[in-house]
Amino acid sequence: MSPSIHAHDVQRTNRLASATSPYLQQHAHNPVDWWPWCAEALALARELDRPILLSIGYSACHWCHVMAHESFEDPATAERMNRLFVNIKVDREERPDLDKVYQTAHQLLSQRAGGWPLTVFLTPDDHTPFFAGTYFPREPRHGLPSFTQLLVGVERAYREQGAAIREQNRSLLEALAGLEPQGGAELPEAGLLEAAFHQLALSFDAEHGGFGRAPKFPHATDLELLLRRQARLAANGGDPDPRPLHMAGFTLERMIRGGLTDQLGGGFCRYSVDDEWMIPHFEKMLYDNGPLLALCCDAFSATGESIFRDAALATADWVMREMQSPEGGYYSTLDADSEGHEGTFYVWDRDAVHARLSAAEYPLFAAVYGLDRPPNFEGRWHLHGYRTPTQAAESLGLNLPQAEALLASARATLFSAREQRVHPGRDEKILTAWNALMIKGMARAARVLDRPDYLESAEQALAFIRSTLWHDGRLLATCKDGVAHLNAYLDDYANLIDALLELLQVRWSSADLAFAVELAEVLLDEFHDAERGGFWFTGRSHEPLIHRAKPLGDDSMPAGNGVAALALQRLGHLIGEVRYLEAADGTLRLAAESMRRMPHAHASLLMALDDWLDPPEMLVIRAADDRLETWQRLAQQGYRPHRLVFAIPSGIDALPGTLASMRGGERPLIYRCRGTHCEPPVASLADL
C-alpha cells in the first residue's frame, strides 16, 4: 500500500472504525462524521443544539447498502450532514432496544410500518423523534423527497418551528406511554387459541401456502402454534380437525420447495417478495433458521414426510459449515448482496447449468427447478421448485429413486461450482439471543434426527456463551472478535433458558440446569415488573431511553414475554419453583387484553397460555443402565409438544427442588408429573 493511499484512508476513517459491529464498520470510511450511540455523542448534540440524525440498519440489509452508496458515501451530502446534525449510526441487531423504540415512534409519526434503513431526527436535549422515515433516495422519486432536500427541510423546521416540535414531542411521548399494557385481574381465556386459529385460517393462502399476500415471511411461531393445536386435538380424542396440520405442513413444504430455501446449500432466506415463495430477499438470518430448523424437525415428527427431514438436515449442515465460528458461537447473517448486486451468488445462467450437468441430470433438474421456463430473476434463474421430483420423474419416465439420485448429484455439482463464486458478506458478530434460537434448533435436530454432531455443535455454542458472554453473573448481548459488550436484553435471557430446557431433553447436565436457574433469577431481578406483571425488554441497570417497552406481540422473533412465560412455567414445574409460575401467570394476565384484540399476533404467548391451561406431561427417568437411553428414546417418539422427557442417570444427586425427591434406585424408575401434581414412580414405560 502506498503512503499516499494509506494517509487518505486514515483521513477518511471516522469513529465507527473501532466498533464491534460489522455494519458500523461498513460505514467507517464514509465522509460522514458518524458517531456510535454513546454518551459523548448525545452530550455533543446538547452542547451544539443540533438535531441528532439517527440512522439504524444492519449489515445484510439491501436498501441500507443502497442509501449508503447514494448518500453517505457522497462528499457533498456528507458535508451537509456534518454541518447540520450530530450523526449517529446504530446496528439494530446490537441495539434492538433503540430499534424497537424508534420503530414504534416512526409508526406513530408516519402512520405506516417502519423498516430499514430507519432514518430518525431527534431533538438534542431529550432524544425524542420529531421526524422519521426509512429509505430516502438521492433524487426525488416515488413521492419521496431527495435525502438532501430532507436534510435541509428538517433542520429548518427545527430552527423555525421549535414550539410546534415541542408540542408534538409531548404528544408522542404520551402516545408511547399509552401503548403500555395495563394488565388485568383475569387470565386470557382458552377461546383465544381457537380465535387465533380462525384468524390464521381466514388469511391462509390455499394455493401457495403462508398467510396473506406478498411480501411473505416464514412466521415459524405461527406454524408451530398450528402444529401444537393439531397435537392437542389429537390427544383429546375423536376426529381432529385436519386443517391446522395442513396449513402448517403445506406452508412449510412450499417454503422448502421454493426459492425461499437455498436449494443447493441449505438454509432459509428472510422472506419472499411474491406470493409463490419464489424470489426471496436473499439474506439469511440466524434468527429465522433456528426456529425453522426446529419446525422442520417437528413437521417430520408429526408427518414422517422426508421433505421435512431433508430440509432440517440441509439447514443444520449449512449452519455448521458456514455459520459456526471456530470458537463455537454462531454468526449472525449472510448478506443479500455479493459483487454489488442482490442475489448474484445464488442465480444461474441456463447455459452454465446445462454445461455442468450430464445429459441424464439436466432435463430432470430443469423440469424441477424451472430452467425449462422463462427466467424469473432479472434475466436469470433462481432455483424454485415448480414441480415435485415425483411429478418431474413421471413426465420423464423415471422412477422416484432414480430421479432423487440424479437431483442429488446435480445439486452437488452445482454447489461445487457455486463455491468458486464471490460469497455474500457474513456478519460475524455473535448475538446471545440468536445463538439461543439456533442452539434450540440444533438440539431439537440432534434428538429427532439422531445426530450427535448437531448436539456437539449446540454444546459448543453454549460453551462460547458461558465463557465469553456470561460475565459477573450477567449476560452480555453481543461479541465480535473476542470483544463482548452491551447489557443483554429480555430476549437473550428468555431464549437461552428455553434453549437449555431443550438441551436437557437431549442429554442431562446438572450444570445446564443450574445455569438455567441462574438466568431465571436474573430475569426476575432485572426485567420482571412484579407490580403490574410481565417483563420489560431492558433491564433495571440499562441506560434510560425515551420509552421502556414490554413486547407482547411476535415480530421477526418470538416475543420475549411469550418465551419467558413458557420457559419459566416449564422450569418452574421441573424444579417446583412457585415464583417462576407466578411470574408466568402475571405475564399472561398483563397480556390478556392485547391478546384479545389480535390473538394471532401473539402466538408465543398463546403457547404459554396453552401450557398454563393444560400443563405438559413431564417424565423424569432415573436409571443406571442402557434403559435410560432406550426409555428416553421411546418416550420421545412422535410429535409430543406437550410432553417433556428428562433422562437423569441414577448416579447424579444434589438435584434442586422437586427433582431431589426423584431419586434413582437399584432399578430404573419413571416419575410422571403434570403441573404441580406428581404420581408415584413406576418401573417401566408400560406401567404409565
Side-chain angles (χ1 to χ4, degrees):
M1 180 179 291
S2 72
S4 62
I5 294 176
H6 181 76
H8 179 69
D9 282 351
V10 170
Q11 184 181 357
R12 289 286 293 266
T13 298
N14 59 43
R15 295 175 189 83
L16 302 184
S18 60
T20 57
S21 159
Y23 173 65
L24 298 190
Q25 290 173 355
Q26 288 172 359
H27 295 80
H29 296 284
N30 292 168
V32 178
D33 188 18
W34 287 118
W35 289 83
W37 182 277
C38 61
E40 189 179 0
L42 301 178
L44 179 65
R46 282 194 302 272
E47 178 186 337
L48 299 178
D49 190 27
R50 284 186 190 170
I52 294 167
L53 193 168
L54 177 64
S55 176
I56 302 179
Y58 60 103
S59 66
C61 165
H62 172 71
W63 287 103
C64 298
H65 299 327
V66 172
M67 190 166 175
H69 177 67
E70 290 181 344
S71 296
F72 303 150
E73 295 173 8
D74 176 58
T77 303
E79 185 279 329
R80 187 162 282 154
M81 292 172 66
N82 296 339
R83 177 163 43 85
L84 300 179
F85 302 96
V86 171
N87 303 289
I88 296 179
K89 176 63 75 172
V90 165
D91 182 344
R92 65 107 172 176
E93 296 168 356
E94 281 196 343
R95 296 298 305 262
D97 55 332
L98 293 170
D99 185 56
K100 286 178 184 294
V101 167
Y102 289 111
Q103 290 284 356
T104 303
H106 170 274
Q107 292 180 32
L108 291 171
L109 288 170
S110 67
Q111 298 298 302
R112 62 170 66 96
W116 301 277
L118 183 66
T119 306
V120 192
F121 296 88
L122 318 179
T123 48
D125 55 344
D126 60 3
H127 318 140
T128 304
F130 62 95
F131 185 86
T134 52
Y135 162 78
F136 290 95
R138 183 188 343 223
E139 305 294 338
R141 64 174 179 267
H142 306 309
L144 293 171
S146 72
F147 187 55
T148 301
Q149 290 172 331
L150 180 73
L151 296 175
V152 173
V154 166
E155 200 275 339
R156 180 183 298 124
Y158 177 73
R159 298 296 170 201
E160 298 177 359
Q161 301 174 37
I165 286 173
R166 296 297 168 189
E167 179 60 25
Q168 176 184 282
N169 285 0
R170 186 188 61 77
S171 298
L172 177 67
L173 293 175
E174 288 179 356
L176 285 170
L179 294 175
E180 280 309 291
Q182 298 305 305
E186 301 297 324
L187 276 167
E189 53 274 15
L192 293 178
L193 292 158
E194 180 80 9
F197 165 68
H198 285 297
Q199 286 182 334
L200 290 171
L202 283 173
S203 64
F204 177 62
D205 182 344
E207 183 178 1
H208 303 294
F211 304 95
R213 304 298 303 271
K216 280 187 175 175
F217 290 82
H219 291 304
T221 314
D222 290 344
L223 301 182
E224 182 184 1
L225 183 68
L226 290 170
L227 287 180
R228 284 172 58 105
R229 176 178 176 82
Q230 190 77 40
R232 182 70 82 189
L233 292 171
N236 290 340
D239 296 322
D241 185 345
R243 290 179 296 166
L245 181 61
H246 169 71
M247 288 161 60
F250 181 67
T251 296
L252 187 57
E253 179 183 349
R254 287 302 177 99
M255 290 195 297
I256 291 168
R257 293 197 190 281
L260 190 79
T261 297
D262 179 353
Q263 299 295 334
L264 302 183
F268 293 85
C269 296
R270 179 70 195 98
Y271 65 86
S272 172
V273 302
D274 54 73
D275 290 337
E276 291 84 6
W277 304 104
M278 182 188 301
I279 303 301
H281 204 25
F282 284 90
E283 70 258 39
K284 293 183 186 177
M285 319 293 288
L286 194 70
Y287 67 72
D288 286 319
N289 281 278
L292 286 169
L293 171 58
L295 187 71
C296 287
C297 294
D298 290 346
F300 175 60
S301 297
T303 67
E305 293 181 13
S306 61
I307 185 173
F308 303 124
R309 178 200 61 211
D310 294 346
L313 291 168
T315 302
D317 288 347
W318 163 72
V319 169
M320 291 178 61
R321 183 180 68 244
E322 297 190 30
M323 300 302 286
Q324 191 154 28
S325 71
E327 297 77 23
Y330 298 116
Y331 298 134
S332 295
T333 64
L334 290 184
D335 207 327
D337 296 10
S338 56
E339 300 183 78
H341 298 283
E342 185 177 12
T344 298
F345 180 75
Y346 298 98
V347 299
W348 290 89
D349 292 316
R350 181 160 51 192
D351 291 346
V353 175
H354 194 278
R356 284 175 170 84
L357 300 185
S358 70
E361 292 169 337
Y362 179 79
L364 177 66
F365 189 87
V368 170
Y369 293 112
L371 277 80
D372 58 350
R373 298 167 184 251
N376 61 3
F377 185 76
E378 298 177 359
R380 304 177 77 188
W381 282 262
H382 176 56
L383 302 181
H384 171 77
Y386 291 89
R387 299 183 183 92
T388 66
T390 299
Q391 291 168 336
E394 289 175 354
S395 68
L396 294 170
L398 300 170
N399 62 44
L400 187 58
Q402 286 177 314
E404 289 179 336
L406 288 170
L407 288 170
S409 172
R411 285 194 297 265
T413 297
L414 293 177
F415 175 78
S416 296
R418 196 181 74 177
E419 283 294 280
Q420 307 308 309
R421 297 178 179 177
V422 175
H423 282 241
R426 182 171 63 193
D427 187 324
E428 295 188 353
K429 68 175 177 292
I430 294 168
L431 297 166
T432 301
W434 297 15
N435 269 250
L437 291 170
M438 185 52 72
I439 289 169
K440 179 179 179 179
M442 293 297 274
R444 185 80 54 86
R447 175 165 61 83
V448 172
L449 305 176
D450 193 18
R451 288 290 297 264
D453 53 335
Y454 295 167
L455 173 60
E456 182 181 358
S457 171
E459 290 181 319
Q460 287 173 353
L462 177 61
F464 179 86
I465 291 174
R466 291 293 306 266
S467 64
T468 309
L469 290 157
W470 177 247
H471 185 67
D472 291 339
R474 293 291 187 270
L475 281 175
L476 298 171
T478 181
C479 179
K480 175 71 167 59
D481 297 330
V483 179
H485 69 127
L486 298 177
N487 292 334
Y489 310 100
L490 169 62
D491 289 1
D492 299 292
Y493 285 92
N495 283 296
L496 190 53
I497 296 168
D498 192 39
L500 287 163
L501 289 171
E502 188 70 35
L503 271 173
L504 288 169
Q505 295 182 78
V506 185
R507 84 296 175 265
W508 183 258
S509 165
S510 294
D512 284 358
L513 177 60
F515 188 31
V517 172
E518 283 187 275
L519 293 168
E521 292 298 325
V522 180
L523 188 62
L524 292 183
D525 184 51
E526 277 281 307
F527 297 88
H528 184 224
D529 183 348
E531 181 180 349
R532 295 183 177 86
F535 294 86
W536 285 291
F537 186 72
T538 53
R540 285 182 170 81
S541 54
H542 199 80
E543 69 171 293
L545 301 174
I546 64 168
H547 179 58
R548 193 180 185 201
K550 292 179 183 175
L552 301 177
D554 299 318
D555 47 32
S556 56
M557 287 176 57
N561 271 281
V563 179
L566 185 74
L568 285 176
Q569 282 183 73
R570 294 188 163 198
L571 183 59
H573 285 136
L574 178 62
I575 66 172
E577 179 49 75
V578 174
R579 291 179 300 124
Y580 300 168
L581 303 178
E582 290 174 343
D585 174 273
T587 301
L588 289 169
R589 292 177 193 274
L590 173 82
E593 187 55 40
S594 181
M595 294 168 72
R596 292 182 187 114
R597 284 197 301 268
M598 196 177 293
H600 73 291
H602 298 81
S604 298
L605 278 161
L606 287 170
M607 287 187 273
L609 175 64
D610 185 36
D611 267 18
W612 185 263
L613 296 170
D614 192 356
E617 175 188 43
M618 195 169 291
L619 302 182
V620 176
I621 305 171
R622 303 300 307 267
D625 54 27
D626 58 4
R627 279 174 289 187
L628 182 74
E629 185 176 332
T630 300
W631 288 358
Q632 179 185 21
R633 184 180 298 114
L634 289 171
Q636 291 175 332
Q637 281 184 340
Y639 178 57
R640 298 180 181 272
H642 302 101
R643 171 185 285 181
L644 285 72
V645 181
F646 301 96
I648 308 176
S650 291
I652 292 177
D653 52 15
L655 293 168
T658 51
L659 284 175
S661 64
M662 299 181 185
R663 297 184 177 89
E666 295 181 2
R667 58 196 179 97
L669 292 172
I670 304 172
Y671 296 83
R672 181 188 188 194
C673 299
R674 189 180 292 276
T676 56
H677 171 71
C678 292
E679 300 170 0
V682 297
S684 73
L685 277 177
D687 290 340
L688 287 175

